[in-house]
């Protein structure tokens, strides 16, 4: 179910332009709002799961919202499309943190060392969806119509919901008790859907919303910290450190769809065997390398790096940031190649190194949050990992805008100086996170 979002991600901008005659700027703005809210609503999903609905029920409710929302998006009415986006955003927020939490509830011991392996496998599975869904939905949408691409996502999500309902069983030590009233649940969700609908319809208020969300996150973390005992407070501070580091990573990683996409379009030699590769196709390199390198990294880690004792989570993330820095260093080196365009091998090499860094950072961060979170706050604290992605999307947009302003001079010649300077800054940025 969580992979269905990758299908929307691949085709929504084209669908919005075709269906509602939006210009590219409007479609991209709508898409950016949608992606940020898909992760921003994770706090709500975590709160509801921890406060009366339970993990499994929250996942099922979120899947139902998303399926209904996808049907609304298929409508020719723009208002119904906004309603559909609101439902899918809320549904994603219900699914994301709780699916990650659910993976840790198959173990009796919250600190079971096998969790790192399970979360790494889950991350690999998520990337399998990231590889398959954009290709499948894009092909169907391009060949038969964008409605059919979105219809495929809705059908897959419905099947996934049924499988969760029938097959998901946690360790007997974890008991879910639904204590929230149906009336409170109904009116609360209705209010949230109306609020999200208004945010899509009046997007100029979005920047103000991000400020409110950040302030609200800080206040809520403070409340959790206050309610914890001394040992739990140390664990919460550790979780905050992981969330901040992951936010830094997402700010760099999400350049792939903005500043780097423009770089591929303008400066890279994309011709292979007489065929020009679309710039968007480069995004498939990341999930492809995750699927190839993920199992290999798990094997090397278990056989050599962690044979005697587990590596510290911050050491793993530090290693990941070094790889991310190196990937932008490779791109900076690539801009020094003489010629009118940059050879494809530099892009493939940069993606490969960044994927190694990603595998050190992403699975470890949500595994350690599951490891350190007090049981009564497990879902809400996992939600902050999803919020880190929302913050990363937002900050990545600001960074990308900076790159566009600096790279505009490229059109006057074949010099890649502006790109080189930008990549050097991005390569140095991870060191600030390590400090």
């Amino acid at each position: 179910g969580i992979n269905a979002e990758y299908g929307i991600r691949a085709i929504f901008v084209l669908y919005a332009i075709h269906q509602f005659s939006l210009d590219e700027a409007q479609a991209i703005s709508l898409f950016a709002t949608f992606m940020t809210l898909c992760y921003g609503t994770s706090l709500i999903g975590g709160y509801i799961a921890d406060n009366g609905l339970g993990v499994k029920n929250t996942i099922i409710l979120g899947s139902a919202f998303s399926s209904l929302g996808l049907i609304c998006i298929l409508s020719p009415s723009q208002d119904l499309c906004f309603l559909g986006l609101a439902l899918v955003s809320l549904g994603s927020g219900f699914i994301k943190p709780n699916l990650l939490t659910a993976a840790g509830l198959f173990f009796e011991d919250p600190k079971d060392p096998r969790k790192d392996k399970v979360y790494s496998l889950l991350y690999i599975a998520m990337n399998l969806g990231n590889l398959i869904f954009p290709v499948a939905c894009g092909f169907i949408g391009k060949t038969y119509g964008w409605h059919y691409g979105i219809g495929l996502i809705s059908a897959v999500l419905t099947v996934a919901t049924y499988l969760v309902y029938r097959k998901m069983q946690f360790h007997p030590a974890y008991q879910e008790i639904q204590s929230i009233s149906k009336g409170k649940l109904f009116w609360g969700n209705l209010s949230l859907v109306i609020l999200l609908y208004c945010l899509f319809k009046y997007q100029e208020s979005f920047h103000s919303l991000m400020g409110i969300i950040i302030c609200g996150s800080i206040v809520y973390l403070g409340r959790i910290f206050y309610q914890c005992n001394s040992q739990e407070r140390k664990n919460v501070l550790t979780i905050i450190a992981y969330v901040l580091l992951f936010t830094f990573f997402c700010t760099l990683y999400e350049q792939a769809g903005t500043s780097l996409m423009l770089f591929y379009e303008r400066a890279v030699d994309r011709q292979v065997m007489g065929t020009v590769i679309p710039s968007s196709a480069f995004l498939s390199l990341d999930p492809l390398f995750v699927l190839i390198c993920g199992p290999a990294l798990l094997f090397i880690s278990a056989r050599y790096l962690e044979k005697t004792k587990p590596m510290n989570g911050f050491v793993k993330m530090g290693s990941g940031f070094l790889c991310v820095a190196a990937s932008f260093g490779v791109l900076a080196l690539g801009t020094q190649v003489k010629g009118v365009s940059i050879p494809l091998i530099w892009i493939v090499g940069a993606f490969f190194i960044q994927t190694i860094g990603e595998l050190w950072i992403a699975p470890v961060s949500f595994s350690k949050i599951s490891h350190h979170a007090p049981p009564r706050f497990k879902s809400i604290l996992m939600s902050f990992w999803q919020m880190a992605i929302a913050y990363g999307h937002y900050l990545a947009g600001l960074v990308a805008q900076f790159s566009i302003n600096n790279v505009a001079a490229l059109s006057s010649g074949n010099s890649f100086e502006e790109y080189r300077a930008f990549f050097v800054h991005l390569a140095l940025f991870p060191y600030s996170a390590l400090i």
Side-chain angles (χ1 to χ4, degrees):
I2 196 171
N3 293 132
E5 178 192 310
Y6 296 123
I8 302 173
R9 199 174 161 196
I11 66 175
F12 180 74
V13 171
L14 294 173
Y15 175 77
I17 292 172
H18 176 267
Q19 182 74 4
F20 303 112
S21 300
L22 300 180
D23 61 37
E24 290 182 3
Q26 290 174 320
I28 290 171
S29 176
L30 183 63
F31 176 72
T33 303
F34 170 66
M35 288 300 297
T36 303
L37 289 177
C38 277
Y39 289 98
T41 52
S42 296
L43 279 177
I44 300 170
Y47 177 84
I48 289 177
D50 281 342
N51 289 272
L53 190 57
V55 171
K56 182 177 178 178
N57 289 333
T58 306
I59 293 173
I60 293 172
L61 181 61
S63 299
F65 280 159
S66 294
S67 296
L68 180 60
L70 288 168
I71 294 173
C72 292
I73 291 173
L74 291 172
S75 168
S77 166
Q78 193 173 85
D79 285 331
L80 271 179
C81 179
F82 289 153
L83 176 62
L85 291 173
L87 287 166
V88 174
S89 298
L90 188 60
S92 294
F94 280 18
I95 295 170
K96 290 176 184 298
N98 292 295
L99 191 62
L100 297 175
T101 300
L105 296 179
F106 294 103
F107 301 96
E108 182 177 9
D109 182 7
K111 300 184 183 298
D112 195 310
R114 293 175 294 173
K115 277 188 175 183
D116 277 11
K117 182 177 180 180
V118 169
Y119 278 110
S120 293
L121 291 172
L122 175 62
Y123 195 72
I124 292 169
M126 289 164 60
N127 275 275
L128 181 62
N130 197 359
L131 178 65
I132 294 173
F133 267 85
V135 175
C137 295
F139 172 77
I140 291 174
K142 190 77 173 177
T143 306
Y144 302 104
W146 301 115
H147 288 82
Y148 291 98
I150 293 179
L152 172 65
I153 301 169
S154 180
V156 172
L157 191 56
T158 301
V159 173
T161 305
Y162 175 77
L163 292 176
V164 168
Y165 175 74
R166 297 288 296 180
K167 302 295 184 180
M168 183 177 283
Q169 300 293 333
F170 301 136
H171 192 279
Y174 177 77
Q175 297 293 328
E176 288 195 313
I177 301 175
Q178 184 174 343
S179 58
I180 190 171
S181 68
K182 292 182 180 179
K184 185 177 180 181
L185 186 65
F186 173 80
W187 290 111
N189 285 323
L190 180 61
S191 301
L192 288 169
V193 170
I194 293 172
L195 173 63
L196 293 173
Y197 166 80
C198 291
L199 288 173
F200 282 112
K201 191 169 180 65
Y202 308 103
Q203 292 178 53
E204 61 274 6
S205 61
F206 182 64
H207 290 291
S208 299
L209 172 71
M210 282 305 298
I212 294 171
I213 289 175
I214 292 171
C215 292
S217 299
I218 294 172
V219 170
Y220 198 82
L221 273 174
R223 179 187 173 190
I224 292 174
F225 185 81
Y226 177 77
Q227 293 177 350
C228 292
N229 58 40
S230 58
Q231 181 57 47
E232 289 175 337
R233 287 180 178 180
K234 292 179 181 178
N235 290 337
V236 170
L237 289 174
T238 301
I239 288 172
I240 292 173
Y242 279 113
V243 168
L244 290 175
L245 287 172
F246 192 63
T247 300
F248 285 134
F249 167 72
C250 289
T251 301
L252 296 170
Y253 177 77
E254 295 302 335
Q255 293 304 309
T258 51
S259 61
L260 290 182
M261 186 64 68
L262 291 173
F263 172 66
Y264 305 148
E265 185 71 27
R266 295 172 176 173
V268 176
D269 180 7
R270 295 179 284 115
Q271 192 168 40
V272 178
M273 298 177 65
T275 302
V276 177
I277 301 174
S279 300
S280 58
F282 287 109
L283 298 185
S284 66
L285 287 173
D286 177 72
L288 179 63
F289 284 141
V290 166
L291 294 172
I292 294 172
C293 300
L297 191 60
L298 280 174
F299 174 79
I300 293 171
S301 180
R303 186 71 178 268
Y304 302 106
L305 301 178
E306 298 183 281
K307 188 174 183 179
T308 56
K309 67 174 183 177
M311 288 176 63
N312 181 277
F314 289 114
V315 172
K316 290 182 178 181
M317 294 194 76
S319 302
F321 273 111
L322 291 176
C323 291
V324 173
S327 71
F328 286 107
V330 168
L331 291 175
L333 288 173
T335 59
Q336 293 182 330
V337 175
K338 293 182 180 180
V340 295
S341 58
I342 298 169
L344 190 61
I345 188 65
W346 292 97
I347 310 304
V348 176
F351 259 108
F352 177 79
I353 296 171
Q354 188 172 106
T355 300
I356 300 298
E358 176 189 349
L359 288 168
W360 278 118
I361 293 172
V364 171
S365 61
F366 57 66
S367 172
K368 295 305 179 184
I369 292 174
S370 175
H371 182 99
H372 290 285
R376 63 188 184 281
F377 297 121
K378 193 172 289 291
S379 289
I380 190 64
L381 287 173
M382 188 63 77
S383 300
F384 277 100
W385 185 84
Q386 299 288 344
M387 286 300 300
I389 304 177
Y391 303 145
H393 270 287
Y394 185 72
L395 293 174
L398 299 178
V399 173
Q401 188 64 42
F402 173 79
S403 76
I404 292 170
N405 291 337
N406 281 275
V407 173
L410 180 69
S411 58
S412 61
N414 291 323
S415 173
F416 301 121
E417 279 294 328
E418 298 292 342
Y419 279 117
R420 187 179 309 127
F422 179 62
F423 291 144
V424 167
H425 281 96
L426 291 182
L428 293 175
F429 183 75
Y431 291 99
S432 65
L434 293 176
I435 294 172

